Amino acid sequence: MSITGRLQGPSGAHPFGTDQYGRDVLSRVMTGTVISIAVGVIASASAPPSDRDRRLSGYVGGWIDEAFMRLVDAIQGFPAILSALLFAAVFAPGIVISMSPSASRSCRRSRV
């Protein structure tokens, strides 16, 4: 931090200028970019296996897609509140589990 170098405009030494504490804005943007990309990669890689299976079955199609869609149709045949209560009782309370069938249906719809 440099109190004398605060709020400077763009220059050769600081292409994006400095902030109110005299820190280089370009280096802060680059650090934030690295963190943001790392979070995106980790989030994509750690997607639940069911999400990956859903996308794969929709992409490949065939009997795997048909079997999965029949399972989703059976689950969606129940009212949403009953499905949420059933999943919460069987697995663990959470909205992600109760919203899973609608997500798989929309994944398949986007391919067609």
Side-chain angles (χ1 to χ4, degrees):
M1 288 191 342
S2 171
I3 299 300
T4 59
R6 39 185 280 219
L7 298 174
Q8 291 181 353
S11 66
H14 305 287
F16 284 7
T18 60
D19 64 3
Q20 67 267 25
Y21 299 112
R23 299 176 295 200
D24 184 34
V25 176
L26 176 62
S27 64
R28 296 177 60 78
V29 168
M30 290 169 59
T31 302
T33 302
V34 169
I35 292 170
S36 178
I37 289 173
V39 167
V41 167
I42 291 170
S44 297
S46 65
S50 62
D51 286 347
R52 289 189 291 250
D53 294 343
R54 246 192 322 242
R55 290 187 204 117
L56 183 64
S57 72
Y59 180 73
V60 172
W63 67 271
I64 296 172
D65 183 39
E66 287 299 320
F68 188 75
M69 283 302 111
R70 295 302 72 84
L71 174 68
V72 169
D73 289 340
I75 292 171
Q76 285 183 337
F78 292 103
I81 190 71
L82 289 178
S83 296
L85 289 171
L86 175 72
F87 286 137
V90 172
F91 298 110
I95 192 162
V96 174
I97 294 173
S98 64
M99 292 176 61
S100 184
S102 62
S104 63
R105 180 59 79 179
S106 62
C107 282
R108 183 174 188 271
R109 198 174 349 186
S110 66
R111 182 183 74 93
V112 177

